[in-house]
Amino acid sequence: MSDHTEKNVDEVTGVETTGHNWDGIEELNNPMPRWWLWTLYATIVWGIAYTIAFPAWPLISGATTGVLGWSTRADVAREIESHDAQNGALVEQLLAAEMDRLPEDPELLRYAVARGGAVFKAQCSQCHGSGAAGFKGYPNLLDDDWLWGGSMDEITFTVRHGIRNDIDDEARYSEMPAFGELLEKEQIRAAAEYVYSLSNDDAEPELAASGQELFAEQCAACHGDTGRGDREQGAPNLADAIWLYGGDRETLIQTITYSRFGIMPAWGQRLIEADVRAVSAYVHGLGGGE
């Protein structure tokens, strides 16, 4: 039986070894440097003190608040209150202003656009893009093609109430029929060819001509006899080569067959009124506002 009390000492250094041996190489049992140990002890003390002073330990419905009562939410709330206090007069003016007359007050307009830009980046850019150029199915806000009107008042109404949502009774609403249930495939193809011909020169003349008759019967009530749309109904202009979902033949056939039903939230129920007005001013000033 070996004696476990016997110490192994390295002959060269005179330092006790751990007893581990790899191919004749032994591990010295040198103590940790004092500075390292004191640093370790200091971090332990610091960690304990931190968990006492600041929010740290998770509980069932929250976390310990810490004796200092510090909170990132409280800091943000104070910053918001400070910002609102500094700009209180401008906020009151913005809330009282007639939106269509906002450009008449350059200082108020600058404030609204700056505030609205921050709101847009936080709330709207996910769908419309950081530059507001839109994506397939999400409108480009830089051009002057507006389904429901591009004046300051009209944009504000759209932002406040949204489009085709089920939470605001004043939401903009229009609904295109799914003509796949009403027309034959060849009829849909002909109607799509006519719509295609309104903004393209390479349409098939005979097919487009037969599609024009169908268009007059089925589509003109909303899009107009010449396909230039009707903003009162939210019916898009089909003759300007600006397309929300795409203007190639296959996409047009798909749109006519199944229809489209894009939805926009009612931001008036998610944002305070000052932010609704500010982001509307920002969108109007992007270049496409009327």
Side-chain angles (χ1 to χ4, degrees), residues 21-258:
N21 187 305
W22 293 273
D23 296 331
I25 301 174
E26 293 185 307
E27 180 182 5
L28 301 181
N29 191 20
N30 283 315
M32 300 297 294
R34 286 295 180 90
W35 68 265
W36 192 96
L37 288 173
W38 284 115
T39 301
L40 173 63
Y41 299 148
T43 58
I44 293 173
V45 173
W46 169 261
I48 294 172
Y50 188 94
T51 61
I52 295 173
F54 295 95
W57 297 104
L59 302 175
I60 295 176
S61 59
T64 55
T65 58
V67 296
L68 297 182
W70 178 80
S71 168
T72 54
R73 291 181 180 272
D75 284 352
V76 171
R78 284 192 293 270
E79 290 180 10
I80 292 174
E81 289 176 2
S82 174
H83 175 271
D84 289 344
Q86 293 175 1
N87 298 283
L90 288 171
V91 172
E92 290 182 5
Q93 293 177 44
L94 179 60
L95 292 173
E98 295 181 22
M99 291 301 292
D100 273 343
R101 302 188 64 178
L102 192 60
E104 298 176 9
D105 188 335
E107 182 183 3
L108 182 58
L109 180 62
R110 281 195 299 271
Y111 170 74
V113 170
R115 178 170 181 158
V119 175
F120 185 91
K121 288 178 175 61
Q123 305 292 345
C124 313
S125 61
Q126 293 87 343
C127 292
H128 294 285
S130 58
F135 302 101
K136 184 176 181 179
Y138 300 96
N140 180 351
L141 304 178
L142 304 177
D143 57 29
D144 60 358
D145 193 67
W146 297 91
L147 286 177
W148 302 96
S151 70
M152 191 83 81
D153 268 343
E154 289 166 333
I155 292 173
T156 304
F157 187 94
T158 300
V159 172
R160 182 180 292 119
H161 300 290
I163 299 172
R164 303 185 193 94
N165 59 70
D166 57 3
I167 60 174
D168 192 311
D169 293 337
E170 295 188 69
R172 306 277 199 189
Y173 194 91
S174 65
E175 185 171 355
M176 176 181 173
F179 284 98
E181 301 175 0
L182 304 173
L183 301 175
E184 300 294 332
K185 289 184 178 181
E186 285 304 312
Q187 291 178 305
I188 291 175
R189 182 168 172 267
E193 192 68 18
Y194 171 69
V195 173
Y196 180 81
S197 73
L198 296 176
S199 54
N200 294 276
D201 297 328
D202 60 339
E204 299 177 27
E206 293 184 4
L207 188 60
S210 62
Q212 183 174 7
E213 297 178 10
L214 284 166
F215 185 91
E217 295 172 1
Q218 304 288 343
C219 313
C222 293
H223 294 283
D225 293 336
T226 59
R228 298 189 180 279
D230 182 357
R231 287 184 174 182
E232 293 297 321
Q233 303 182 65
N237 182 347
L238 306 177
D240 59 3
I242 297 176
W243 299 98
L244 189 55
Y245 292 93
D248 60 276
R249 289 182 175 91
E250 291 303 316
T251 302
L252 291 174
I253 290 173
Q254 186 178 43
T255 297
I256 295 171
T257 302
Y258 302 106

Side-chain angles (χ1 to χ4, degrees), residues 3-35:
D3 184 1
H4 293 286
T5 62
E6 182 181 351
K7 295 182 178 180
N8 296 319
V9 178
D10 179 58
E11 296 179 357
V12 176
T13 62
V15 176
E16 180 185 352
T17 69
T18 62
H20 301 156
N21 187 305
W22 293 273
D23 296 331
I25 301 174
E26 293 185 307
E27 180 182 5
L28 301 181
N29 191 20
N30 283 315
M32 300 297 294
R34 286 295 180 90
W35 68 265

